[in-house]
């Protein structure tokens, strides 16, 4: 329990405010067990008793299995054929746009440049059009692009979505297995955000495989769809960076804070200061400062994946999740009570997750489920078993209870009818 209390106290001093754990005994047990097993993994066999040796061998086998699963999944995610297909689509959209818009430039963003693109993902493209500074001019440019794409060929459907918050043209393949494109105009902040994430992923080789695994897990469990009120891939990646910044010692610095302390000049894009540290020498110097007693963080991928789920299952309770210092920005009015609010790196105070309240319990239970599976069986495949589609399965089956459920009796239909009869 002391380990949990100390850790929660440490979290209060950082970029998220944590409340007392709701499941203190369970969290403490899982946390202490995880730390003991991690320490035991460094002890040579034969120096512990028979029972300890047996536990250690079992733990090492689970870790070995999880490591192998992670490596296998990451190795097969992106093929050369997929990369070639992306390049072809970028060229086609660029050619179509340049025929109807003078001086335009096509910039990919999102998972295509962060390295977190997986088969089935969309390709996000931003067409920078000089002078298209308001919504009317941007939608006008989009209509021109849509018209040219229709004339260019019949391999894709052209679906303008001008009424969306960010107007886009969706260029969707007619055949299964193709790549769909979402085309926007002058969505420069999105491009800047993607380049920031790409820079973080380049800092440490563990970030990309962890991001790919977490994204795959969320997709399989049906909690990776912002349009449905769950977590977007962008929000999940920011949550991962936030988590890695909080390790002991930290794995990632804050690139935006580093740019400020190093005296980088402000870089304003659409009114937002988008500077961040990208100079290799400055990043290397910052990484040296993050070392604890001269030793860098050397946690393994399998250990970090388990710890990520442990953090969001039992340690994080509430507060804004940010990857930069928020000391100079006004806090949210609901700072003490907000849950899974993920701060926009370049627009502090704006939540990029926008998780609907009705999903809070489900998301928390999914993190707890993943942590439970990985800490016991160590099977990534089991943690990523596809969730039942909405409306299927028995919602009252199983031992899991909703987050904060007080144990009140749930009346079945017979009890309800009897109760109603008594009232009548």
């Amino acid at each position: 329990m002391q380990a949990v209390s100390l850790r929660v106290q440490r979290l209060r001093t950082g970029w998220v405010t944590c409340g007392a754990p709701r499941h203190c005994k369970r969290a403490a047990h899982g946390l202490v067990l995880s730390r003991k097993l991690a320490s035991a993994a460094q002890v040579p066999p034969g120096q512990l008793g028979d029972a300890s040796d047996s536990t250690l061998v079992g733990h090492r086998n689970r870790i070995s299995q999880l490591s192998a699963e992670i490596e296998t999944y990451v190795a097969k995610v992106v093929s050369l054929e997929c990369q070639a297909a992306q390049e072809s689509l970028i060229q086609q959209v660029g050619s179509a746009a340049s025929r109807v818009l003078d001086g335009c430039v096509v910039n990919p963003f999102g998972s295509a440049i962060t390295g977190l693109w997986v088969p089935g993902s969309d390709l996000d493209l931003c067409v920078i059009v000089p002078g298209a500074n308001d919504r009317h001019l941007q939608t006008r440019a989009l209509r021109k692009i849509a018209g040219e794409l229709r004339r260019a060929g019949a391999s894709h459907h052209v679906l303008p979505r001008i009424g969306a918050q960010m107007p886009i043209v969706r260029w969707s393949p007619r055949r299964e297995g193709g790549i769909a494109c979402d085309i926007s105009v002058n969505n420069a902040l999105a491009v800047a955000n993607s380049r920031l994430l790409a820079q973080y992923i380049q800092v440490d080789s563990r970030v990309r495989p962890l991001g790919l695994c977490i994204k795959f897990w969320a997709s399989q469990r049906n909690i990776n769809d912002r349009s449905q009120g769950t977590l977007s891939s962008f929000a999940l990646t920011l949550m991962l960076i936030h988590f890695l910044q909080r390790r002991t010692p930290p794995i990632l610095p804050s690139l935006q804070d580093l740019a400020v302390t190093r005296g980088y000049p402000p870089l304003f894009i659409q009114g937002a200061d988008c500077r961040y540290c990208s100079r290799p020498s400055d990043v290397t110097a910052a990484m040296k400062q993050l070392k604890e007693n001269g030793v860098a963080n050397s946690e393994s991928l399998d250990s970090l994946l388990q710890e990520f789920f442990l953090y969001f299952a039992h340690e994080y309770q509430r507060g804004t999740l940010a990857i930069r210092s928020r000391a100079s920005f006004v806090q949210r009015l609901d700072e003490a009570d907000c849950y899974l609010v993920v701060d926009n790196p370049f627009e502090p105070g704006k939540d990029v997750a926008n998780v609907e309240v009705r999903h809070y319990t489900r998301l928390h239970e999914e993190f707890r489920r993943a942590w439970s599976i990985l800490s016991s069986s160590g099977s990534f495949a089991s943690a990523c078993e596809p969730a039942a589609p909405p409306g299927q399965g028995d919602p009252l089956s199983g031992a899991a209870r909703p987050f904060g459920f007080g144990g009140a009796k749930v009346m079945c239909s017979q009890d309800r009818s009897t109760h109603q009869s008594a009232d009548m």
Side-chain angles (χ1 to χ4, degrees), residues 57-133:
V57 170
H59 172 65
R60 280 177 169 164
N61 288 338
R62 290 196 298 271
I63 291 299
S64 177
Q65 176 190 353
L66 180 56
S67 298
E69 286 184 285
I70 293 173
E71 292 174 3
T72 301
Y73 173 69
V74 172
K76 69 179 183 181
V77 164
V78 179
S79 65
L80 294 177
E81 291 79 5
C82 290
Q83 294 176 350
Q86 290 180 34
E87 291 296 330
S88 175
L89 291 173
I90 294 171
Q91 291 178 5
Q92 291 179 57
V93 172
S95 297
S98 63
R99 288 195 291 270
V100 293
L101 298 168
D102 293 332
C104 67
V105 178
V106 175
N107 287 299
F109 66 98
S111 59
I113 67 168
T114 62
L116 299 179
W117 191 91
V118 297
S121 297
D122 295 337
L123 177 60
D124 296 309
L125 300 178
C126 170
V127 182
I128 301 298
V129 180
N133 299 321

Side-chain angles (χ1 to χ4, degrees), residues 80-406:
L80 294 177
E81 291 79 5
C82 290
Q83 294 176 350
Q86 290 180 34
E87 291 296 330
S88 175
L89 291 173
I90 294 171
Q91 291 178 5
Q92 291 179 57
V93 172
S95 297
S98 63
R99 288 195 291 270
V100 293
L101 298 168
D102 293 332
C104 67
V105 178
V106 175
N107 287 299
F109 66 98
S111 59
I113 67 168
T114 62
L116 299 179
W117 191 91
V118 297
S121 297
D122 295 337
L123 177 60
D124 296 309
L125 300 178
C126 170
V127 182
I128 301 298
V129 180
N133 299 321
D134 58 39
R135 188 182 180 94
H136 172 71
L137 293 175
Q138 290 166 8
T139 56
R140 184 178 177 182
L142 277 174
R143 293 183 191 279
K144 290 183 177 180
I145 294 172
E148 188 60 26
L149 287 173
R150 287 194 183 97
R151 287 188 289 271
S155 62
H156 285 61
H157 296 286
V158 179
L159 306 171
R161 295 178 178 175
I162 305 302
Q165 183 177 6
M166 170 57 66
I168 65 169
V169 168
R170 184 165 180 81
W171 199 36
S172 180
R174 295 180 184 273
R175 295 182 179 179
E176 291 186 7
I179 300 174
C181 294
D182 286 337
I183 305 167
S184 56
V185 168
N186 288 2
N187 192 9
L189 268 179
V191 177
N193 271 312
S194 299
R195 290 179 177 174
L196 173 64
L197 298 193
Q199 186 65 42
Y200 272 113
I201 289 171
Q202 291 176 17
V203 171
D204 192 282
S205 60
R206 291 168 288 185
V207 184
R208 179 175 177 267
L210 286 170
L212 287 170
C213 288
I214 292 166
K215 181 177 177 179
F216 178 70
W217 162 79
S219 177
Q220 291 291 98
R221 300 301 299 170
N222 292 332
I223 56 170
N224 184 210
D225 189 346
R226 184 180 179 182
S227 67
Q228 298 299 316
T230 56
L231 292 164
S232 66
S233 297
F234 181 44
L236 282 166
T237 307
L238 290 175
M239 290 165 65
L240 172 62
I241 294 171
H242 166 87
F243 162 76
L244 295 175
Q245 289 174 339
R246 309 179 67 76
R247 303 307 294 159
T248 305
I251 293 175
L252 293 175
S254 170
L255 295 178
Q256 291 171 276
D257 294 345
L258 188 58
V260 174
T261 57
R262 293 277 177 175
Y264 285 36
L267 176 62
F268 289 100
I269 298 176
Q270 297 176 349
D273 184 359
C274 295
R275 61 180 154 170
Y276 61 87
C277 182
S278 58
R279 203 175 294 152
S281 58
D282 289 342
V283 175
T284 301
M287 295 300 292
K288 289 182 179 178
Q289 294 177 355
L290 293 180
K291 294 181 178 179
E292 191 172 75
N293 299 322
V295 179
N297 187 297
S298 60
E299 291 177 278
S300 61
L301 281 174
D302 43 70
S303 174
L304 286 170
L305 187 62
Q306 291 187 33
E307 291 284 322
F308 173 84
F309 289 116
L310 171 63
Y311 177 72
F312 286 103
H314 294 293
E315 296 178 15
Y316 167 75
Q317 295 298 318
R318 52 186 173 268
T320 300
L321 299 162
I323 64 171
R324 63 179 299 177
S325 172
R326 300 168 62 240
S328 59
F329 300 99
V330 178
Q331 290 193 341
R332 297 170 56 96
L333 296 177
D334 62 344
E335 182 68 34
D337 300 310
C338 65
Y339 180 67
L340 286 182
V341 169
V342 182
D343 208 36
N344 189 314
F346 294 133
E347 298 177 281
K350 179 180 288 188
D351 180 16
V352 302
N354 291 313
V355 175
E356 294 183 10
V357 176
R358 64 191 176 98
H359 292 305
Y360 284 0
T361 297
R362 167 80 191 288
L363 291 172
H364 184 260
E365 289 299 324
E366 287 293 345
F367 284 114
R368 290 179 60 189
R369 172 188 174 276
W371 153 246
S372 177
I373 291 173
L374 293 180
S375 61
S376 58
S377 69
S379 171
F380 182 60
S382 298
C384 297
E385 257 183 37
Q392 295 187 13
D394 182 1
L396 300 181
S397 64
R401 289 186 171 186
F403 190 31
F405 181 71

